[in-house]
Amino acid sequence: WYIDYKAVGGIRKRVKAFKDKTATAQLAAKLEKEAELAESGIIDKYKEHRKRPLAKHLNDFKQSLIAKGNTANYVTLVISRAKVAIEGCKFAYWGDISASRVERFLADLRKDKLVKTEGKPKTVRGISAQTFNFYLQAIKQFCRWMVLDQRASESPVQHLQKVNVKTDRRHDRRALKPDEIQALLEATAIAPKRYGMCGYERSLLYRFATETGLRANEIRTLTVGSFDFDNLTVSVMAGDSKRKRPDILPIRTEMVVLLKEFFRGKIAKAKVFGGICKQLTRKTSDMIKDDLDDAEIPYIDESGRYADFHSLRHTTGSLLAASGVHPKVAQSIMRHSDINLTMSRYSHTYLEQESEAISRLPDFSLNRKQRAKATGTDGEYADSAYKPAYKKLAKNAYSGCHPSSSIGTNQSTNHLSNSTPADSHKSIENKAIGNDCHPMALNKTERGGFEPPVPLLEIRRFSKPLP
C-alpha cells in the first residue's frame, strides 16, 4: 500500500507503506497529524532537514546554483568557499552552525602564522580582508538558500558583517598611461610565443581588452560569432557576464579591421583568443607580467600597485574619464550597477592631469597688482581714490541704513565740485542718509564721474534689504 497525503507547506507526498491495510491506515493518520502540528507550529517542521548531514544539503545547493544558469567555475568557487567554513568549523548538521564559531574561524585565517620550511622559520601571511568577505559571503549564501528552500526557519549567520577591505589592501591595481600601453603593444608584438599565443595575438588581446574594458573571464567565453562587424559591436552572454545580464558593447572601427583579418578562416564557434590552447589561459596576470618586462614597464610601481591583466580594465575607465566622457556613459561602458564604483575605483587620475590642475592655481610670487592683471581682475577702478568711500557706502547699503541711524546726524551740503578729494569722500559718506541712503542716489557728477565696479542691492526705506 502507498500513502498520498498533504505534507508541510501544502506539498503532496506519496510514500510507500505496509502490505497490511490497517497498519498503512494508522501510518497515514500519524503522518497527517504530524503535518497539521507542524503547520500550527506545535512541532518542528524542519526535523527531517535537521537530521540530514550538511554535505547532502551542500550538494543540493550546488545543483540549485547550476539550475539557475551560473557558470561551472562560479559554482565551484562558491561551494569550495562554503566547504572551507563548514569543514573548518567542524559542522556536521544544520544545528551545529554557530555564527560566533564562523567568525572566530575566519578571524584566525587572517592571522599571520610562523611555519618551518626546510628547517627555517617563515612567516606566512593570513588571508586578506577581501578573502575573509568571500568566505563569509559563501556560507551566508548557503544558509540563506536553506531558508528559501524551506529547510530551515532562519539563517544563524545572517547578522554577521563584512570587514572593511580598505584597511587591508593586498592587490591594488593601477591604470597604465597611454605611452605605457603603446610600449606594451609594440614590445609584445615582436615577443616570442607564450601561453600558446604568438606575440601579435597577445598584443591584439591587450589592445582589445583596453578598448572594451572586458574582463578576462568574459573574453575567455567569446567566439567569432559574438561579433557583429556591421554594427561594430561585441556581445557577452548573460551567463558569462559578471552581472548575469546580456551585454552589447561597441568596438572601434580600427579594431574591427584588425579582428576581421585575425578571424579569417575561423568558424563562428571558434574561440577568439588562446592560440593553440583550448581557451585563453587562466594565468593572464603571469602572461602580461612577462610582456611588461619586455617593455621595461614595472609590474609593481613605487606605490605598491599592480599592473596585472585586470588593470587594463582600470585603464579603460581612467582613459574614459581623462577624455571627458560623461560619467553616466562611462558607467554604461564599464557595466557597473553603482556609478561610485566607476568613479572611485576604476577612474584613476594621471600625474599629468594633476600637474596641469596645479599649474592653473594663482601665482603667489606676484604682487597683488600683477596677479590681478594676470587673472583679469584689475578693473578700471582698482586703484581709484574713491574706492574707500564706495566700500563704506556698500557696507551701509548691505546693512540697510535707516534715517534714524547715527550716520544721518552728520548732514553736509558740500558739493564735490568745490572740494578736495578728501572732502569729497566725506561728502559722499555724509550724503548717504534719509531717502538718499543708497549709494546709487548720488548722480554721476557727485560720484566723481565714474560708475561703481559692481551693481549694489536696492535698499528701500522702512524695509529690509532685498535678497
Side-chain angles (χ1 to χ4, degrees), residues 134-150:
F134 287 153
Y135 287 132
L136 180 60
Q137 181 180 353
I139 186 64
K140 290 180 69 174
Q141 187 176 351
F142 167 67
C143 293
R144 186 167 57 251
W145 171 81
M146 289 283 292
V147 175
L148 294 176
D149 203 48
Q150 296 185 357

Side-chain angles (χ1 to χ4, degrees), residues 126-327:
I127 63 174
S128 65
Q130 190 166 9
T131 305
F132 175 99
N133 291 341
F134 287 153
Y135 287 132
L136 180 60
Q137 181 180 353
I139 186 64
K140 290 180 69 174
Q141 187 176 351
F142 167 67
C143 293
R144 186 167 57 251
W145 171 81
M146 289 283 292
V147 175
L148 294 176
D149 203 48
Q150 296 185 357
R151 302 187 181 208
S153 59
E154 59 182 357
S155 171
V157 297
Q158 186 62 37
H159 66 281
L160 294 183
Q161 300 292 328
K162 296 180 179 180
V163 297
N164 186 4
V165 297
K166 294 182 179 180
T167 61
D168 185 23
R169 299 294 298 175
R170 301 284 182 91
H171 199 85
D172 277 326
R173 296 179 174 92
R174 67 184 180 95
L176 295 175
K177 300 177 182 178
D179 56 342
E180 289 180 325
I181 288 292
Q182 190 65 36
L184 174 63
L185 298 181
E186 293 176 357
T188 305
I190 59 175
K193 180 182 291 187
R194 292 190 179 114
Y195 298 91
M197 291 183 289
C198 65
Y200 174 76
E201 183 175 358
R202 298 198 309 276
S203 176
L204 186 62
L205 168 64
Y206 298 151
R207 178 173 176 177
F208 176 76
T210 303
E211 292 183 358
T212 60
L214 286 173
R215 305 172 179 88
N217 285 335
E218 294 169 338
I219 297 176
R220 196 172 287 115
T221 62
L222 295 180
T223 62
V224 175
S226 303
F227 292 83
D228 184 356
F229 291 138
D230 294 332
N231 295 318
L232 306 180
T233 59
V234 58
S235 302
V236 181
M237 301 301 293
D240 302 323
S241 175
K242 186 176 181 180
R243 59 179 183 171
K244 304 306 175 187
R245 292 190 298 179
D247 294 316
I248 300 178
L249 296 174
I251 51 179
R252 300 183 61 171
T253 306
E254 298 84 355
M255 178 56 64
V256 168
V257 175
L258 296 175
L259 291 177
K260 277 186 176 181
E261 180 66 24
F262 182 68
F263 293 163
R264 182 176 296 179
K266 293 185 177 181
I267 61 176
K269 294 184 179 180
K271 66 180 183 302
V272 176
F273 297 104
I276 61 175
C277 299
K278 186 177 180 180
Q279 62 178 2
L280 177 64
T281 177
R282 295 194 174 276
K283 297 182 179 180
T284 50
S285 293
D286 295 335
M287 180 180 66
I288 196 174
K289 182 179 180 181
D290 296 336
D291 291 327
L292 286 170
D293 289 340
D294 292 341
E296 298 182 354
I297 300 174
Y299 179 67
I300 305 176
D301 65 1
E302 60 277 3
S303 300
R305 298 176 301 173
Y306 291 78
D308 57 9
F309 190 88
H310 197 70
S311 68
L312 298 178
R313 179 170 168 82
H314 286 249
T315 303
T316 306
S318 301
L319 292 177
L320 290 173
S323 302
V325 176
H326 193 279

Side-chain angles (χ1 to χ4, degrees), residues 24-40:
T24 301
Q26 293 176 353
L27 177 60
K30 179 182 178 181
L31 292 176
E32 288 181 345
K33 184 178 181 179
E34 289 180 351
E36 292 177 358
L37 292 175
E39 287 289 348
S40 60

